[in-house]
């Protein structure tokens, strides 16, 4: 079995010509350039998105854009995490459609099912089984500290919050640990869940011997936390219902324009990156521009010297529409053939099951579950 030491510390990764192709990626606060040819091609990446609404440019910049880059260097598992989606109420018909829609968007954004395993979480029952085992090793105190639980439960009536929302991080830990994952490319909001995953894996390894790889968090250098356009102090979320909160990946250009031109800014006039909450709106627009163009911060600031917020917004509209154009075109092609998406997901589930069940069997043995005797 793999052991803790196999975690992707990215030692040995170095500056190379791929710097122009691959972005800086921050792994546990250490920034590296990716190499175009990884010295360890079998390192594993796992990540997923909940089919709980229209995917936003936040999901894209925080997660999917990184996924596309890492697929040439890692064995990747990209999962549509529908079991996470039901931690808040969902309509059954919409949820089923959303699972296909999200898988199609993965591919439209550049995920290649011939290289990466694309599958739906509920198709691989090992996720639920390992989540239960891990839940038995997780304290309520640790789960109570999760800020996402606090935020999401605060939006529901007291007393009606589901247990699933509370133990969501143990399911997420199972998702990741089943594949002996080295690195998890996610937005900044998932850092705390990743820390818990590492703690759980470490505790299990300590108690039962090396069983899980300890995964590293892979946070992008820009777009790690895209903020709401209507409220730049809160993260952009796909399940927010306000019309001017988020740009969806499938929004047509005029809608993108309308939303971005109405983005909340401030009463000042300075166009520069800033941590000042008063200037969060302008900083958010600049980060979106940076995420879509890949241009350096100094150059971006230089570009807007002497210009106003209106000019900034127009430039962001152009950059976002330019970035979304190929994604939307590819998505339109894919939706002509639902059977293609279903076959990708069926193949993906078969590949995922084979790996996930190996880890699950080891875990079951180690905790002392009796193996069924052959008939
Ligand atoms: N605003 C964001 N900026 C950067 N990254 C983001 N992510 C989500 N929002 C932003 C990243 O997208 C991935 C998938 O997230 P998820 O759907 O599993 O859960 P989430 O983080 O709760 O995303 P949403 O959009 O806020 O969904 P809802 O509204 O349904 O809860 C993760 O890698 C996440 O970091």
């Amino acid at each position: 079995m793999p052991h803790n030491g196999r975690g992707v510390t990215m030692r040995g990764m170095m500056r190379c010509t791929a710097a122009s192709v691959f972005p800086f990626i921050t792994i546990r606060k250490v920034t590296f350039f990716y190499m175009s040819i990884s010295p360890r091609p079998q390192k594993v990446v796992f990540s997923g998105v909940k089919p709980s609404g229209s995917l936003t440019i936040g999901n894209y910049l925080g997660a999917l854009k990184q996924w596309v880059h890492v697929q040439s260097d890692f064995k990747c598992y990209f999962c549509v995490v529908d079991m996470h989606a039901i931690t808040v109420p969902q309509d059954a018909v919409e949820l089923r459609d959303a699972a296909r829609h999200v898988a199609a968007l993965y591919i439209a954004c550049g995920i290649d099912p011939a290289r990466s395993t694309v599958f739906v979480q509920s198709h691989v029952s090992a996720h639920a089984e390992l989540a239960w085992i891990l839940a038995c090793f997780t304290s309520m105190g640790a789960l109570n500290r999760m800020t996402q639980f606090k935020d999401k439960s605060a939006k529901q009536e007291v007393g009606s919050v589901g247990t699933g929302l509370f133990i969501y991080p143990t399911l997420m830990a199972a998702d990741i640990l089943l594949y002996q994952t080295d690195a998890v490319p996610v937005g900044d909001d998932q850092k705390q869940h990743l820390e818990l995953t590492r703690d759980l894996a470490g505790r299990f390894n300590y108690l039962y011997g090396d069983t899980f790889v300890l995964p590293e968090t892979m946070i992008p250098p820009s777009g790690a936390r895209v903020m709401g356009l209507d409220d730049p102090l809160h993260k952009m979320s796909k399940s927010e219902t306000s019309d001017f909160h988020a740009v969806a990946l499938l929004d047509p250009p005029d809608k993108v324009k309308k939303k971005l031109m109405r983005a909340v800014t401030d009463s000042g006039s300075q166009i520069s990156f800033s941590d000042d909450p008063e200037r969060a709106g302008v900083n958010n627009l600049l980060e979106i521009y940076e995420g879509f163009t890949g241009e350096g911060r100094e150059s971006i600031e230089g570009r807007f010297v002497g210009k106003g917020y209106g000019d900034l917004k127009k430039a962001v509209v152009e950059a976002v529409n330019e970035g979304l154009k190929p994604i939307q075109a590819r998505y339109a092609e894919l939706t002509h053939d639902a059977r293609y998406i279903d076959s990708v997901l069926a193949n993906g589930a078969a590949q995922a099951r084979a790996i996930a069940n190996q880890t699950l069997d080891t875990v079951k043995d180690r905790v002392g579950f009796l193996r069924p005797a052959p008939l």
Side-chain angles (χ1 to χ4, degrees):
M1 284 303 288
H3 56 82
N4 321 6
R6 222 195 98 203
V8 69
T9 59
M10 296 293 163
R11 276 192 297 269
M13 287 212 169
M14 53 166 106
R15 239 166 234 263
C16 70
T17 52
S20 54
V21 183
F22 294 100
F24 280 105
I25 297 285
T26 304
I27 298 181
R28 293 174 64 74
K29 298 197 179 132
V30 186
T31 304
F32 300 92
F33 276 109
Y34 267 103
M35 291 178 71
S36 60
I37 301 165
S38 168
R40 294 165 299 164
Q42 288 311 308
K43 290 284 172 182
V44 174
V45 154
F46 177 96
S47 198
V49 171
K50 296 195 295 273
S52 49
S54 295
L55 265 58
T56 70
I57 55 171
N59 299 127
Y60 177 67
L61 294 179
L64 273 88
K65 188 170 166 235
Q66 301 196 75
W67 300 1
V68 174
H69 288 300
V70 295
Q71 20 172 26
S72 45
D73 292 336
F74 292 84
K75 169 61 206 160
C76 295
Y77 295 87
F78 296 125
C79 186
V80 179
V81 288
D82 55 349
M83 288 158 66
H84 285 284
I86 63 163
T87 51
V88 296
Q90 301 290 342
D91 175 87
V93 175
E94 282 176 19
L95 181 61
R96 226 182 324 273
D97 286 348
R100 261 201 208 101
H101 155 82
V102 170
L105 265 177
Y106 286 2
I107 298 168
C109 286
I111 300 304
D112 175 4
R115 282 193 288 174
S116 300
T117 300
V118 177
F119 69 106
V120 175
Q121 185 185 30
S122 63
H123 293 180
V124 182
S125 58
H127 289 248
E129 291 187 65
L130 183 59
W132 171 253
I133 295 170
L134 293 179
C136 297
F137 289 83
T138 311
S139 73
M140 287 176 58
L143 294 174
N144 263 324
R145 284 193 289 278
M146 297 294 119
T147 52
Q148 197 176 78
F149 172 71
K150 289 182 199 162
D151 292 348
K152 294 207 157 145
S153 57
K155 291 181 188 160
Q156 298 184 33
E157 252 176 63
V158 181
S160 68
V161 178
T163 315
L165 192 61
F166 187 58
I167 62 167
Y168 176 117
T170 60
L171 178 57
M172 182 165 159
D175 299 338
I176 294 164
L177 298 177
L178 277 173
Y179 300 93
Q180 304 297 349
T181 299
D182 295 287
V184 187
V186 280
D188 180 65
D189 61 317
Q190 297 298 331
K191 258 194 210 158
Q192 202 186 18
H193 291 161
L194 258 297
E195 282 305 321
L196 183 75
T197 300
R198 287 174 59 85
D199 288 350
L200 274 173
R203 188 165 335 128
F204 195 97
N205 288 351
Y206 174 76
L207 291 171
Y208 294 104
D210 286 344
T211 306
F212 298 121
V213 168
L214 265 59
E216 300 286 341
T217 311
M218 203 184 251
I219 305 281
S222 66
R225 185 178 285 254
V226 177
M227 309 307 276
L229 299 176
D230 56 348
D231 176 3
L233 294 180
H234 286 100
K235 188 188 81 128
M236 181 181 284
S237 277
K238 63 176 124 54
S239 58
E240 274 295 331
T241 48
S242 143
D243 282 350
F244 293 94
H245 172 77
V247 170
L249 293 185
L250 296 180
D251 277 347
D254 55 333
K255 203 166 179 185
V256 172
K257 184 174 178 188
K258 222 183 248 173
K259 289 178 175 178
L260 286 167
M261 294 307 286
R262 279 189 51 160
V264 170
T265 49
D266 55 62
S267 54
S269 58
Q270 200 185 336
I271 302 182
S272 57
F273 289 91
S274 162
D275 290 337
D276 181 352
E278 295 287 323
R279 299 177 51 212
V282 168
N283 185 69
N284 193 35
L285 289 170
L286 285 168
E287 286 209 20
I288 294 170
Y289 186 85
E290 181 189 25
F292 273 94
T293 60
E295 197 175 322
R297 290 195 167 195
E298 244 178 74
S299 157
I300 294 174
E301 287 178 343
R303 176 183 291 283
F304 292 108
V305 170
K307 301 219 168 127
Y309 289 169
D311 299 310
L312 169 64
K313 286 178 174 177
K314 278 186 207 149
V316 178
V317 169
E318 205 174 299
V320 172
N321 276 332
E322 205 47 43
L324 296 186
K325 206 194 291 175
I327 295 172
Q328 296 180 354
R330 179 80 178 111
Y331 181 82
E333 282 168 23
L334 288 165
T335 48
H336 288 310
D337 190 357
R339 277 177 314 177
Y340 169 69
I341 299 296
D342 286 348
S343 76
V344 165
L345 294 175
N347 280 324
Q351 291 165 26
R353 243 177 248 128
I355 305 299
N357 286 340
Q358 281 177 23
T359 303
L360 182 65
D361 285 347
T362 304
V363 170
K364 284 177 166 177
D365 280 344
R366 294 199 171 170
V367 297
F369 291 171
L370 181 65
R371 280 203 180 209
L375 290 175

